[in-house]
Amino acid sequence: HLIKHETEDVRLFAIKTLGCYLNACTTKTSTRLITKLSIFTVIAEYLATREVTMATYNVLCELTMAHMSRQLTADKFYDPDPDAQIKYPKMLEVIAVLLLRRDEDARERYLPIVKQYITTLLLLLQRSRENRRVLISQNGWQRWMVGLMLRWADCGKEGQHVSDIAYSLFQTLLHHALQCEQDGWLVWVETLSILHAYQSDGLGVDVSQGEQQQPAQPSEQGDSCRADDEASYCSEHPRQVVPDIFVEPETPRPPSSEGESEVRVRCTERGVGEEQGVGVREGEEGER
């Protein structure tokens, strides 16, 4: 309940205390808190209505890296070590969701924090292969990353710079998935499906309506219009009369020999020809 406190310092020190407890407890206990109790999701819900200041952002980054300090820093951004490892990747989504839930009027005010966040994340991913592997193992990481890429795209040069860094994040993660992971093509397929869903939502297209719509029944007015169209088309494109082609019937030629007559009978008359062919063969055997 201290995370829901009105005072920001109390909230942030409560998060620091939780981070120290997660670092000190056993793996079983920390896994139970993270998976079963969803402690990081609870933090996101408690901070959803609070302002994300520089001090709040720094504390959340410290919890992500499992490197908690004793003081609150509100004058400069958190700068992780070059070889820092992401300990709790779920916190990356928590930070992104808190930034994306801001109102439209507060977008430009949070733009420096967003820029610092994705810049730090890009450095962490480029420096460590394990960080890339940990992030792509999360479920639905493309959703909040696409949100960061599109939310501030229309905020001038700084917003465009944020979108470019987000594109670089996608490039780094997808390249790692296809080159270094055994089933990396699944990450690519999932990314395409999420991008398609965002495109459909952006255009205002409800995909579920396509399966429920029934074909419209033709009306009398539609039938008359269709008949007029067909009549006009026929008048503009007259039918071409193809002359009949006269084929002279083939006159039968007299058989040249007795053997040729037997072959002609068997080939032309299937139903009766087989019986006649058998009779001819029996007569030849009798003569022999």
Side-chain angles (χ1 to χ4, degrees), residues 15 54-68 77-80 85 87-88 91-92 95 113 116-117 120 124:
I15 295 176
M54 185 180 297
T56 303
Y57 166 77
N58 291 335
V59 171
L60 296 178
C61 288
E62 291 178 1
L63 180 59
T64 304
M65 302 299 169
H67 187 271
M68 310 305 300
F77 287 108
Y78 173 76
D79 188 16
Q85 299 293 326
K87 183 66 177 296
Y88 304 114
M91 285 300 302
L92 297 174
I95 298 174
I113 299 179
Q116 179 65 29
Y117 170 64
T120 304
L124 291 173

Side-chain angles (χ1 to χ4, degrees), residues 179-199:
Q179 295 293 331
C180 304
E181 300 297 331
Q182 183 176 2
D183 296 331
W185 62 273
L186 295 175
V187 179
W188 174 255
V189 173
E190 183 181 2
T191 303
L192 290 179
S193 63
I194 291 175
L195 291 176
H196 176 71
Y198 264 87
Q199 182 69 14

Side-chain angles (χ1 to χ4, degrees), residues 11-195:
R11 296 196 301 267
L12 298 184
F13 276 112
I15 295 176
K16 283 179 174 288
T17 305
L18 176 63
C20 294
Y21 176 76
L22 291 176
N23 295 336
C25 66
T26 60
T27 306
K28 182 179 180 180
T29 304
S30 62
T31 303
R32 184 177 64 86
L33 289 174
I34 296 172
T35 57
K36 293 185 178 181
L37 300 181
S38 303
I39 188 63
F40 295 148
T41 305
V42 173
I43 293 176
E45 293 177 356
Y46 288 168
L47 297 180
T49 57
R50 305 297 180 180
E51 185 177 359
V52 181
T53 61
M54 185 180 297
T56 303
Y57 166 77
N58 291 335
V59 171
L60 296 178
C61 288
E62 291 178 1
L63 180 59
T64 304
M65 302 299 169
H67 187 271
M68 310 305 300
S69 62
R70 297 183 179 181
Q71 298 179 353
L72 298 178
T73 305
D75 55 349
K76 63 178 182 180
F77 287 108
Y78 173 76
D79 188 16
D81 297 333
D83 56 347
Q85 299 293 326
I86 300 175
K87 183 66 177 296
Y88 304 114
K90 183 66 177 178
M91 285 300 302
L92 297 174
E93 180 181 357
V94 171
I95 298 174
V97 169
L98 289 177
L99 294 174
L100 290 172
R101 286 181 178 178
R102 304 299 104 182
D103 297 333
E104 293 293 331
D105 300 335
R107 285 196 308 162
E108 296 184 0
R109 189 171 74 249
Y110 285 98
L111 187 57
I113 299 179
V114 175
K115 182 180 178 180
Q116 179 65 29
Y117 170 64
I118 62 175
T119 303
T120 304
L121 182 58
L122 180 61
L123 293 176
L124 291 173
L125 297 178
Q126 290 179 347
R127 292 171 181 174
S128 175
R129 177 179 178 178
E130 188 63 27
N131 288 339
R132 298 192 294 269
R133 178 174 297 174
V134 167
L135 182 54
I136 63 175
S137 64
Q138 298 297 307
N139 186 19
W141 59 269
Q142 299 95 332
R143 299 183 183 277
W144 55 267
M145 193 169 292
V146 170
L148 293 175
M149 182 175 59
L150 300 179
R151 184 67 185 278
W152 288 270
D154 56 346
C155 293
K157 293 183 179 180
E158 293 296 327
Q160 187 62 39
H161 184 58
V162 169
S163 299
D164 294 340
I165 299 176
Y167 277 112
S168 300
L169 285 173
F170 264 109
Q171 180 182 1
T172 302
L173 293 173
L174 293 178
H175 181 270
H176 171 83
L178 295 175
Q179 295 293 331
C180 304
E181 300 297 331
Q182 183 176 2
D183 296 331
W185 62 273
L186 295 175
V187 179
W188 174 255
V189 173
E190 183 181 2
T191 303
L192 290 179
S193 63
I194 291 175
L195 291 176

